[in-house]
């Protein structure tokens, strides 16, 4: 073995050195001569990034490569970053650089002589695959990284595969996560290069450590999600102009022509930002998160006198039965005897507004039980409850309110789902309108000017997409043919086989403007519930013990999490393989739901 101490003794001169040459990555770093003043014979040269000036007292090849590929805040030229991303991805750097140059670390390695024996039992390839699977597990299951050094966990892994070298926590959080991130970023780029009509989701969050973190999430039209970046804006003031520049950086890096919308919540600076971006790129539509809209709608309904009165009565009943032991016990008994499904009365919590539905629904569910108690055990009730329950139409009114709240609850749940598009919003709004209309029993029928409104809206969008007069006229003609279900648009939509996207792709014609518009509309993801989901994952990553995780590591873990979940069928090698595709989907969804909450 060549003693690489020799090469390190020679400082920064460019003279050709004997021994193994330094890794090429050093060309992007200034060498800091080893510090010999402290008396210790520390012979390892330090490194300083030429781009961001970050310093290391000891330059480790693998750390330096990861820094250039993933972490450097003043990013090196794209081709440099791409090169090191690839090197990291292929693992084609010699990690032993560091170990060989460090004589002092050798005794630690040798302390486990059994390692050498065990290593014989697993191939390098097996070790690599196990390491990858382990990294995936830690990132997606949001398990604290220190678990990897827990003796019981190590024992468990060793029972499964005695030859597997269980990594140290520091290796897991650096080398392994870096290499895996490089793979994920490379795959992500490949996948995004084929996509169009992307939506950028943007949301801010204050971490447990008080940092102001922003997520930039890229959503595709078929429900896949990729974390572009997680940025720490704690030191910046979040003006519209500042955020605009950040968004434009992201958009231009991926390719501005690939995006069709930006979605975010309703914070005023973000609204301003989205509008600023749309001024620069008119084809990128600013979208407000639909779930927030519907939340507002629902709170408006609850504020109506009629609804407020009903909810107040329901609350009184629920509170009474929760507080009165005798009353609660007899109600419970009735519920059991009548085999009422879904359990007892549910509380209404103002901030979690879907509970308004749950509360009214539970009253209706327990209607007969409540009536029985009123008839047979009224001595257990107080006068207020008796008068509520005796009120004419009480249950009828609760039922009506429930009827209105149900589609709203469903809409919220549907719209927060990953694969929701603008088209689903429209359908859910129509369902809600129908529910309200049915109550009033006054059917106004189809609005005569609806078609005109649709056409005008379509034209205004078409103009933003850069359409001229001729194509605009053709578009209107196509929309009118579509509304008449004339040829070309007369194919049945087969549920379960067709998606909105491939139904439209089937309608082929020259100058297919309507198809372009429809695909665009079906691609916009109108909810940034996903961003909130990732913040809750971040919350898990950053629980009490781990507030020290830095932003770039968090970004990498989140990128991996999003990528694995979006491409789970390819990423899972063994689990659920005995299930049919459908069963796999179900099992996957159930487990992912747990993962997401
Ligand atoms: Zn740097």
């Amino acid at each position: 073995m060549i003693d690489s101490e020799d090469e390190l003794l020679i400082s920064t001169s460019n003279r050709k050195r004997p021994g193994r040459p330094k890794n090429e990555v050093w060309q992007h770093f200034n060498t800091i001569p080893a510090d010999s003043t402290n008396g210790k014979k520390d012979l390892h040269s330090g490194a300083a990034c030429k781009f961001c000036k970050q310093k290391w007292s000891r330059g480790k090849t693998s750390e330096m490569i990861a820094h250039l590929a993933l972490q450097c805040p003043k990013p090196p030229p794209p081709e440099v970053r791409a090169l090191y991303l690839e090197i990291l991805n292929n693992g084609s750097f010699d990690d032993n650089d560091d170990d060989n140059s460090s004589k002092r670390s050798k005794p630690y390695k040798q302390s486990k002589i059994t390692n050498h024996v065990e290593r014989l039992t697993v191939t390098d390839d097996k070790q690599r695959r196990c390491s990858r699977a382990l990294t995936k597990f830690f990132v997606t299951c949001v398990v604290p990284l220190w678990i990897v050094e827990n003796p019981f966990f190590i024992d468990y892994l060793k029972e499964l595969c005695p030859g597997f070298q269980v990594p140290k926590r520091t290796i897991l959080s650096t080398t392994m996560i870096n290499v895996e991130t490089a793979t994920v970023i490379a795959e992500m780029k490949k996948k995004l290069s084929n996509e169009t009509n992307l939506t950028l989701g943007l949301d801010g969050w204050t971490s447990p450590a008080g940092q102001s973190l922003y997520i930039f999430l890229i959503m595709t039209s078929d429900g896949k999600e990729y974390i572009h970046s997680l940025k720490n804006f704690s030191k910046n003031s979040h003006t519209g102009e500042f955020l605009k520049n950040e968004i434009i950086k992201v958009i231009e890096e991926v390719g501005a022509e690939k995006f069709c919308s930006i979605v975010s919540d309703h914070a005023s600076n973000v609204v301003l930002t989205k509008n600023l971006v749309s001024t620069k790129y008119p084809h990128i539509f600013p979208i407000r998160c639909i779930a927030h809209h519907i939340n507002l709608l629902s709170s408006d309904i609850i504020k109506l006198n009629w609804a407020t009165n009903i909810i107040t009565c329901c609350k009184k009943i629920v509170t009474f039965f929760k507080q009165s032991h005798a009353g609660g016990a007899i109600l419970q008994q009735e519920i059991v005897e009548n085999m009422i499904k879904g359990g007892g009365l549910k509380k209404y919590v103002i901030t979690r507004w879907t509970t308004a539905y749950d509360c009214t629904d539970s009253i209706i569910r327990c209607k007969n039980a409540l009536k029985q108690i009123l008839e047979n055990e009224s001595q257990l009730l107080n006068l207020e409850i008796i008068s509520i329950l005796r009120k004419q139409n009480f249950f009828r009114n609760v039922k009506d309110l429930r009827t209105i709240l149900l589609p709203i609850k469903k809409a919220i749940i549907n719209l927060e789902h990953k694969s929701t598009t603008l088209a689903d919003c429209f359908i859910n709004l129509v369902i809600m309108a129908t529910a309200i209309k049915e109550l009033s029993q006054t059917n106004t029928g189809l609005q005569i000017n609806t078609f005109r409104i649709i056409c005008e809206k379509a034209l205004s969008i078409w103009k933003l997409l850069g359409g001229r007069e001729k194509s605009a006229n053709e578009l209107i003609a196509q929309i009118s043919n579509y509304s008449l279900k004339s040829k070309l648009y007369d194919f049945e939509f087969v549920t379960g086989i067709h998606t909105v996207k491939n139904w439209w792709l089937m309608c082929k014609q020259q100058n297919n403007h309507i198809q372009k518009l429809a695909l665009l509309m079906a691609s916009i993801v109108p909810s940034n519930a996903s961003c909130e989901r990732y913040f809750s994952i971040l919350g898990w990553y950053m629980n009490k013990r781990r507030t020290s995780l830095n932003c770039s590591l968090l970004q990498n873990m989140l990128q991996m999490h999003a990528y694995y979940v979006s491409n789970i069928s390819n990423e899972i090698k063994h689990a659920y393989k005995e299930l049919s595709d459908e069963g796999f989907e179900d099992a996957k969804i159930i487990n992912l739901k747990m993962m997401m909450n």
Side-chain angles (χ1 to χ4, degrees):
M1 194 191 299
I2 297 160
D3 192 344
S4 48
E5 272 187 16
D6 288 341
E7 80 177 56
L8 291 167
L9 279 170
I10 300 158
S11 64
T12 51
S13 78
N14 285 328
R15 183 162 61 91
K16 186 129 179 77
R17 307 177 197 113
R20 198 164 58 170
K22 274 188 175 181
N23 188 295
E24 291 211 328
V25 72
W26 279 90
Q27 64 179 295
H28 301 292
F29 292 81
N30 290 316
T31 313
I32 306 172
D35 182 16
S36 52
T37 53
N38 60 4
K40 280 184 196 165
K41 205 179 160 210
D42 191 348
L43 299 164
H44 308 292
S45 29
C49 173
K50 283 186 185 170
F51 303 102
C52 72
K53 312 291 177 226
Q54 192 181 328
K55 286 179 186 156
W56 291 264
S57 56
R58 263 192 68 194
K60 277 191 186 175
T61 314
S62 60
E63 269 182 21
M64 287 154 71
I65 290 174
H67 176 79
L68 288 180
L70 302 169
Q71 288 140 6
C72 186
K74 287 246 169 62
E79 66 277 8
V80 174
R81 179 153 266 194
L83 171 70
Y84 285 100
L85 204 54
E86 200 185 316
I87 291 175
L88 193 56
N89 188 8
N90 298 334
S92 56
F93 57 92
D94 193 354
D95 216 5
N96 293 331
D97 273 15
D98 309 319
D99 298 324
N100 286 350
S101 65
S102 156
K103 281 204 162 173
R104 256 176 305 153
S105 71
K106 270 189 178 170
Y108 295 104
K109 286 221 126 185
Q110 283 174 351
S111 66
K112 286 182 189 167
I113 204 109
T114 48
N115 287 354
H116 295 285
V117 182
E118 284 175 348
R119 181 167 285 183
L120 294 175
T121 65
V122 288
T123 60
D124 281 357
D125 185 49
K126 168 91 173 168
Q127 172 73 23
R128 204 176 50 83
R129 278 183 289 129
C130 287
S131 300
R132 283 198 67 187
L134 189 72
T135 315
K136 284 182 192 174
F137 162 77
F138 272 95
V139 169
T140 54
C141 298
V142 204
V143 176
L145 302 182
W146 54 262
I147 296 280
V148 80
E149 292 183 4
N150 177 303
F152 289 97
F153 184 71
I154 295 175
D155 254 31
Y156 167 64
L157 292 179
K158 289 284 185 186
E159 283 295 336
L160 290 176
C161 178
F164 176 55
Q165 305 278 302
V166 184
K168 290 231 173 290
R169 182 202 176 284
T170 45
I171 298 294
L172 178 65
S173 69
T174 55
T175 316
M176 284 168 66
I177 287 187
N178 285 340
V179 169
E180 198 55 33
T181 309
T183 311
V184 162
I185 289 178
E187 287 299 314
M188 215 162 88
K189 283 204 171 131
K190 220 189 282 169
K191 295 206 188 262
L192 285 177
S193 67
N194 300 324
E195 292 281 349
T196 52
N197 288 340
L198 297 171
T199 296
L200 181 70
L202 169 75
D203 205 357
W205 181 67
T206 306
S207 78
Q211 303 149 304
S212 168
L213 302 180
Y214 272 76
I215 277 187
F216 293 82
L217 178 69
I218 298 174
M219 295 175 272
T220 70
S221 54
D222 44 8
K224 300 223 159 116
E225 294 174 348
Y226 301 102
I227 303 278
H228 177 277
S229 47
L230 176 73
K231 296 193 176 177
N232 185 350
F233 290 157
S234 306
K235 288 181 191 146
N236 310 89
S237 87
H238 307 171
T239 58
E241 191 63 24
F242 168 75
L243 284 176
K244 179 195 109 180
N245 291 334
E246 290 297 326
I247 293 179
I248 285 183
K249 257 191 242 167
V250 170
I251 287 179
E252 289 181 346
E253 201 190 307
V254 181
E257 70 291 345
K258 288 179 177 296
F259 285 93
C260 67
S261 58
I262 305 179
V263 63
S264 75
D265 63 10
H266 195 38
S268 58
N269 58 336
V270 184
V271 175
L272 173 68
T273 305
K274 283 186 294 187
N275 293 336
L276 286 173
V277 173
S278 287
T279 320
K280 179 156 188 199
Y281 292 111
H283 71 278
I284 300 179
F285 298 104
I287 303 285
R288 236 189 259 166
C289 178
I290 188 74
H292 289 249
H293 275 290
I294 294 183
N295 271 335
L296 292 178
L297 204 71
S298 73
S299 53
D300 281 353
I301 290 176
I302 305 279
K303 273 186 215 145
L304 295 173
N305 274 340
W306 170 75
T308 311
N309 287 339
I310 299 171
I311 283 282
T312 313
C313 289
C314 291
K315 265 159 67 181
K316 280 181 183 156
I317 294 176
V318 175
T319 314
F320 173 80
F321 281 100
K322 295 257 179 222
Q323 282 172 358
S324 147
H325 296 295
I330 192 100
L331 178 67
Q332 192 54 40
Q333 192 189 325
E334 288 286 341
I335 287 172
V336 173
E337 278 174 13
N338 292 308
M339 295 191 291
I340 295 170
K341 278 185 190 157
L345 298 174
K346 297 276 187 314
K347 257 192 191 162
Y348 167 58
V349 188
I350 284 187
T351 47
R352 292 185 53 224
W353 76 270
T354 48
T355 55
Y357 169 82
D358 298 334
C359 177
T360 54
D361 185 52
S362 72
I363 298 270
I364 295 298
R365 218 168 38 219
C366 300
K367 179 178 161 188
N368 290 334
L370 290 168
K371 278 187 168 172
Q372 293 263 329
I373 296 171
L374 181 64
E375 241 170 65
N376 307 328
E377 316 268 354
S378 62
Q379 76 283 359
L380 292 175
L381 306 174
N382 67 30
L383 289 176
E384 194 182 17
I385 299 297
I386 292 177
S387 84
I388 292 175
L389 289 175
R390 286 217 171 117
K391 230 187 255 171
Q392 224 183 357
N393 283 343
F394 171 68
F395 285 107
R396 166 89 201 277
N397 282 334
V398 176
K399 212 171 169 179
D400 281 351
L401 182 58
R402 186 185 69 160
T403 314
I404 299 178
L405 294 175
L406 178 62
I408 300 179
K409 177 182 165 147
K410 279 190 179 160
I412 288 273
I413 292 171
N414 286 344
L415 295 178
E416 287 186 340
H417 194 267
K418 272 183 165 189
S419 57
T420 302
T421 69
L422 206 58
D424 299 295
C425 282
F426 177 72
I427 291 167
N428 277 290
L429 287 171
V430 171
I431 294 172
M432 277 160 57
T434 319
I436 293 168
K437 267 185 192 160
E438 266 173 14
L439 275 184
S440 62
Q441 309 263 324
T442 51
N443 198 341
T444 49
L446 193 76
Q447 299 283 327
I448 303 160
N449 52 357
T450 305
F451 183 73
R452 197 172 172 81
I453 294 172
I454 292 173
C455 289
E456 277 166 5
K457 191 70 205 168
L459 283 178
S460 73
I461 294 172
W462 195 245
K463 206 171 156 193
L464 291 172
L465 295 176
R468 296 289 177 82
E469 199 182 332
K470 180 169 172 279
S471 65
N473 289 334
E474 286 166 352
L475 175 68
I476 295 301
Q478 289 168 359
I479 291 179
S480 111
N481 280 341
Y482 171 73
S483 76
L484 297 169
K485 278 199 173 186
S486 54
K487 232 179 190 170
L488 197 72
Y489 310 109
D490 55 350
F491 298 115
E492 194 71 23
F493 183 94
V494 187
T495 318
I497 298 176
H498 272 138
T499 62
V500 175
K501 197 174 168 181
N502 60 28
W503 189 90
W504 274 105
L505 288 173
M506 180 179 67
C507 302
K508 292 188 168 75
Q509 65 181 321
Q510 283 203 326
N511 300 327
N512 209 340
H513 308 312
I514 188 171
Q515 186 195 64
K516 183 178 172 191
L517 191 64
L519 288 177
L520 173 73
M521 288 296 132
S523 296
I524 293 175
V525 183
S527 145
N528 69 343
S530 294
C531 286
E532 281 159 29
R533 268 198 292 268
Y534 287 108
F535 285 133
S536 90
I537 294 168
L538 270 184
W540 278 98
Y541 283 147
M542 302 181 78
N543 68 17
K544 280 179 212 142
R545 287 167 198 269
R546 301 196 293 163
T547 41
S548 62
L549 292 182
N550 69 46
C551 189
S552 104
L553 178 60
L554 285 170
Q555 169 179 305
N556 293 348
M557 288 165 69
L558 218 51
Q559 279 173 325
M560 289 154 71
H561 194 297
Y563 178 82
Y564 295 142
V565 172
S566 280
N567 297 285
I568 192 158
S569 318
N570 296 330
E571 292 298 327
I572 296 273
K573 296 208 168 58
H574 307 284
Y576 304 131
K577 285 296 169 195
E578 72 280 11
L579 297 173
S580 63
D581 277 0
E582 239 168 63
F584 181 74
E585 283 297 309
D586 289 347
K588 180 184 99 188
I589 287 163
I590 292 164
N591 277 284
L592 288 186
K593 267 191 185 154
M594 294 196 296
M595 230 147 91
M596 289 302 204
N597 287 323

